[in-house]
C-alpha cells in the first residue's frame, strides 16, 4: 500500500506567490505526492468580530483580528493558476482545501478531482452536501469532532452522492503543536473499525515520529504542515516541519510501507541463505563408536543447521549408532 503523503503548505506562503512556489519546490524535493494550499475568501469565512485562537495570537499580531489575518493570506484566482502550473513543472500534484462552497467551485473549475474537508467544516451541512454531490474522492479531517459528528458527516456525504469507498477520514487534533498526550493515535483505528472507511492522520505534532507511527498503524494518508523556516511570521510556521524534516519523514514513511509487507509469515530470500548458518543440528560431543547408544552425554545441538534438526532429539536419544563418529561430526 502506497501512503499518500500530503505536504501541507497551507497559508505558510504568507500571501507571497514566490514563497508559495518555493514551498512547492521544497515539497517536490522531499518526495511528497501532493502539496496542499488553502482556498478561501475572508469575507465568506469569518465575521469581522471573530477572535483568533491562542496559538494564532502567539504567532501573529495579537491586535489583528482573524478576519484581518486571513485577508492577508488569501490566494487569488491568478495565483492558483500559477501555482498549478508550477506544480506541473515540478511533477508534484497540486491540492487545496476549499473552505466555502464558492471556493470549492473554484477548485472544481481548476480541474481538482478530489476534495479536502477541514476539521472546522465537519459540521457545516450545506458545505458537506455540496462536496458530497460532486461524487469525487473526499478526505476529511476530524479535529474537535466526536464519533457521532464523524458518522453524521459520512452519512451526509453518502446521501449527497459520495460512496463510502471514496471517503478517507483523517484522525486529527486541532492544536498547534499538538501535545503528545492529546494525540490518541489509536482513535484512528477506532474510526476505521466503526465506519469501515479508509483512514489516515493529519499531524500537528512537533517532529515526525507520530506520522510515521500512524503509517505503521494503518494510515493510508498522511498530511503534515511544512514551512521553509519556522521563524517566519505567520500562524502556522511554528508548528510546521522544515524542508529537511519533511524529507526525512517521507523517506521514513516509504521505508515503513515496504517493511509492513503482506502479513504472511514466510522465509525471506535472505533467511534462506542464513538459515543453515544460524540453525543447529545434532552433533557428536565426543568420539562415538558404532553400537553405542546416543545419550545426552555424547550428542548435543551445534551449528551449522545442515544436519538433523534438534527438534528430533527425543527420536534419536536411545538409538544405537550405526557407525563411528568423531567429535563435532554431524549425526
Amino acid at each position: 500500500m502506497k501512503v499518500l503523503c500530503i505536504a501541507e503548505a497551507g497559508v505558510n506562503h504568507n500571501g507571497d506567490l514566490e514563497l508559495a512556489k518555493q514551498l512547492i519546490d521544497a515539497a517536490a524535493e522531499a518526495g511528497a505526492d501532493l502539496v496542499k494550499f488553502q482556498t478561501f475568501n475572508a469575507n465568506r469565512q469569518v465575521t469581522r468580530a471573530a477572535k483568533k485562537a491562542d496559538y494564532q495570537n502567539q504567532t501573529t499580531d495579537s491586535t489583528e483580528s482573524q478576519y484581518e489575518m486571513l485577508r492577508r493570506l488569501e490566494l487569488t484566482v491568478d495565483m492558483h493558476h500559477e501555482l498549478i502550473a508550477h506544480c506541473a513543472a515540478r511533477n508534484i500534484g497540486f491540492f487545496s482545501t476549499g473552505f466555502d462552497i464558492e471556493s470549492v467551485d473554484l477548485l472544481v473549475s481548476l480541474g481538482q478531482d478530489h476534495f479536502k474537508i477541514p476539521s472546522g467544516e465537519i459540521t457545516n451541512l450545506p458545505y458537506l452536501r455540496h462536496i458530497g454531490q460532486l461524487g469525487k474522492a473526499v478526505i476529511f479531517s476530524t479535529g474537535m469532532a466526536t464519533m457521532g459528528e464523524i458518522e453524521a458527516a459520512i452519512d451526509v456525504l453518502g446521501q449527497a452522492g459520495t460512496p463510502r469507498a471514496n471517503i478517507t477520514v483523517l484522525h486529527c487534533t486541532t492544536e498547534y503543536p499538538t501535545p503528545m498526550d492529546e494525540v490518541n493515535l489509536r482513535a484512528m483505528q477506532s474510526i476505521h473499525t466503526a465506519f469501515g472507511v479508509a483512514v489516515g492522520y493529519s499531524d500537528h505534532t512537533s517532529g515526525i515520529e507520530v506520522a510515521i507511527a500512524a503509517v505503521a498503524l494503518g494510515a493510508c494518508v498522511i498530511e503534515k504542515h511544512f514551512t521553509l523556516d519556522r521563524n517566519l511570521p505567520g500562524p502556522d510556521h511554528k508548528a510546521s516541519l522544515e524542508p529537511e524534516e519533511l524529507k526525512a519523514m517521507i523517506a521514513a514513511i516509504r521505508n515503513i510501507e515496504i517493511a509492513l509487507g503482506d502479513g504472511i509469515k514466510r522465509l525471506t530470500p535472505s533467511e534462506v541463505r542464513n538459515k543453515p548458518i544460524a540453525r543447529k543440528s545434532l552433533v557428536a560431543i565426543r568420539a562415538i563408536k558404532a553400537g553405542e547408544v546416543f545419550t545426552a552425554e555424547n550428542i548435543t545441538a551445534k551449528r551449522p543447521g545442515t544436519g538433523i534438526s534438534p527438534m528430533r532429539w527425543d527420536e534419536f536419544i536411545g538409538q544405537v549408532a550405526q557407525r563411528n563418529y568423531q567429535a563435532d561430526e554431524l549425526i
Side-chain angles (χ1 to χ4, degrees), residues 218-286:
C220 61
V221 175
I222 292 293
E223 178 183 86
K224 183 77 171 180
H225 280 268
F226 78 106
T227 178
L228 297 183
D229 183 349
R230 269 193 292 272
N231 295 313
L232 287 171
D236 294 339
H237 293 282
K238 293 291 184 192
S240 299
L241 297 181
E242 292 184 342
E244 286 304 309
E245 295 169 312
L246 179 67
K247 186 175 183 178
M249 183 193 79
I250 293 172
I253 287 171
R254 298 304 180 217
N255 280 337
I256 295 298
E257 287 173 350
I258 297 167
L260 284 171
D262 61 11
I264 299 170
K265 179 61 178 173
R266 64 169 79 82
L267 269 70
T268 69
S270 298
E271 289 179 319
V272 170
R273 292 194 302 272
N274 292 329
K275 181 180 175 181
I277 297 169
R279 290 280 178 89
K280 292 181 176 177
S281 304
L282 295 182
V283 173
I285 295 175
R286 56 170 176 77

Side-chain angles (χ1 to χ4, degrees), residues 68 75 85 87 140 172 184 200 226 248 326:
E68 291 167 331
L75 293 172
C87 283
F140 78 80
C172 175
N184 192 20
F226 78 106
Q326 298 177 355

Side-chain angles (χ1 to χ4, degrees), residues 7 87 93 97 129 142 147-148 158 185 190 198 203 228 271 273 277-279 298 301 307 310 313 324:
C87 283
T97 300
R129 280 181 177 154
T142 57
M147 291 292 274
L185 199 52
S190 298
D203 186 19
L228 297 183
E271 289 179 319
R273 292 194 302 272
I277 297 169
R279 290 280 178 89
N298 61 15
W313 177 268
N324 294 335

Side-chain angles (χ1 to χ4, degrees), residues 108-122:
V108 171
S109 74
L110 294 171
Q112 187 163 299
D113 61 358
H114 46 297
F115 295 86
K116 172 68 193 296
I117 297 170
S119 294
E121 306 304 324
I122 196 172

